[in-house]
Amino acid sequence: MKKYLLIVLPLLMMFSCKNVAKYPMDEPMPELVNDGLIGKWQANEDSDKNNIIVITKSNDSFKYDLKYWENGGSNPKYVSQVHFSKINETLFLNVACWDDIRNDKVYYQKVGYIFFKVVYATPDYSKLVLTTVSDTSLCSLKSGLEVFNRIAKNLNNKAYYHDTLHFYKLNP
C-alpha cells in the first residue's frame, strides 16, 4: 500500500475511483504558493530507496509539476500536477490523478484528484509528513466546493485519513 501512495504523492501511484474526486478542493491560489515543495523527495516508507519524486515549478499558474522516478531517476513512472489548498491553518495537496491508457496522441487521461493533508512540515521544507484523505464517496461529489466542504467537515477526524508518509528532501 505504501508504494501505491508514492506514485501519486506525491504523489504517488495509479488508482481506481476509491479515494479520488472529480474536482480539486479549490483552484490554485497565489497566496498558497510555497516553493519549499520544490526539490527531490524520497519517502522513508519506500522499500526501494532508488525511487524519487521530483517537484518543480509549473508553467501553469500556482501549480507544481510532479514526476515519480524509479531506479534513481532513470525510469519516469508517473507525471502529475500538484497545488495547495488550505482549511483554517491546515494545508492540503491536491494531486491530479491520471489513468495509464496510452496511444500515439495521448499519454494519460485525467481522471480526478487525490488529497493529502500536510500533518507536519519543517520550516525549511526539508521534511514533510502527509496523510491521505480516505473518503470513498469523493468521486460522487458534484463540485470542488462539495469536496472542500466534505474534507473541512472531517478536518480533525482521524478516521478520515490513512497511510501517513514521511518524506525527506534529498537536496535541502
Side-chain angles (χ1 to χ4, degrees), residues 66-91:
L66 177 147
K67 287 185 183 181
Y68 173 79
W69 296 83
E70 292 182 324
N71 302 323
S74 64
N75 184 19
K77 182 73 174 172
Y78 190 77
V79 176
S80 186
Q81 282 196 319
V82 178
H83 72 273
F84 284 102
S85 291
K86 191 173 188 178
I87 300 174
N88 299 331
E89 296 303 311
T90 303
L91 288 174

Side-chain angles (χ1 to χ4, degrees), residues 26-34 62 64 84-86 91:
D26 49 25
E27 293 303 313
M29 295 178 268
E31 62 269 20
L32 294 180
V33 169
N34 184 338
F62 321 122
Y64 299 91
F84 284 102
S85 291
K86 191 173 188 178
L91 288 174

Side-chain angles (χ1 to χ4, degrees), residues 14 77-78 98-102 106-110:
M14 306 296 170
K77 182 73 174 172
Y78 190 77
W98 309 84
D99 66 18
D100 61 355
I101 296 172
R102 300 175 189 207
V106 178
Y107 293 104
Y108 294 98
Q109 181 179 355
K110 188 174 180 178

Side-chain angles (χ1 to χ4, degrees), residues 85-150:
S85 291
K86 191 173 188 178
I87 300 174
N88 299 331
E89 296 303 311
T90 303
L91 288 174
F92 285 82
L93 290 174
N94 297 253
V95 180
C97 311
W98 309 84
D99 66 18
D100 61 355
I101 296 172
R102 300 175 189 207
N103 63 36
D104 292 337
K105 297 179 183 171
V106 178
Y107 293 104
Y108 294 98
Q109 181 179 355
K110 188 174 180 178
V111 295
Y113 293 84
I114 191 164
F115 308 100
F116 296 89
K117 180 180 181 180
V118 177
V119 177
Y120 172 77
T122 57
D124 65 352
Y125 269 75
S126 61
K127 294 181 183 177
L128 189 62
V129 178
L130 305 174
T131 188
T132 309
V133 171
S134 64
D135 184 339
T136 58
S137 68
L138 289 175
C139 63
S140 67
L141 301 179
K142 305 290 185 209
S143 70
L145 181 59
E146 285 185 24
V147 173
F148 185 92
N149 288 337
R150 173 76 53 88

Side-chain angles (χ1 to χ4, degrees), residues 11-92:
L11 316 159
L12 317 183
M13 309 224 167
M14 306 296 170
F15 355 68
S16 63
C17 189
K18 188 167 117 174
N19 298 320
V20 177
K22 294 175 188 171
Y23 306 96
M25 290 174 62
D26 49 25
E27 293 303 313
M29 295 178 268
E31 62 269 20
L32 294 180
V33 169
N34 184 338
D35 289 347
L37 197 60
I38 294 172
K40 287 184 182 181
W41 294 87
Q42 189 166 50
N44 286 343
E45 293 82 3
D46 193 357
S47 59
D48 184 347
K49 296 299 180 190
N50 287 322
N51 297 339
I52 57 172
I53 295 167
V54 177
I55 298 178
T56 57
K57 189 76 173 153
S58 174
N59 291 332
D60 195 350
S61 297
F62 321 122
K63 291 184 181 180
Y64 299 91
D65 292 327
L66 177 147
K67 287 185 183 181
Y68 173 79
W69 296 83
E70 292 182 324
N71 302 323
S74 64
N75 184 19
K77 182 73 174 172
Y78 190 77
V79 176
S80 186
Q81 282 196 319
V82 178
H83 72 273
F84 284 102
S85 291
K86 191 173 188 178
I87 300 174
N88 299 331
E89 296 303 311
T90 303
L91 288 174
F92 285 82

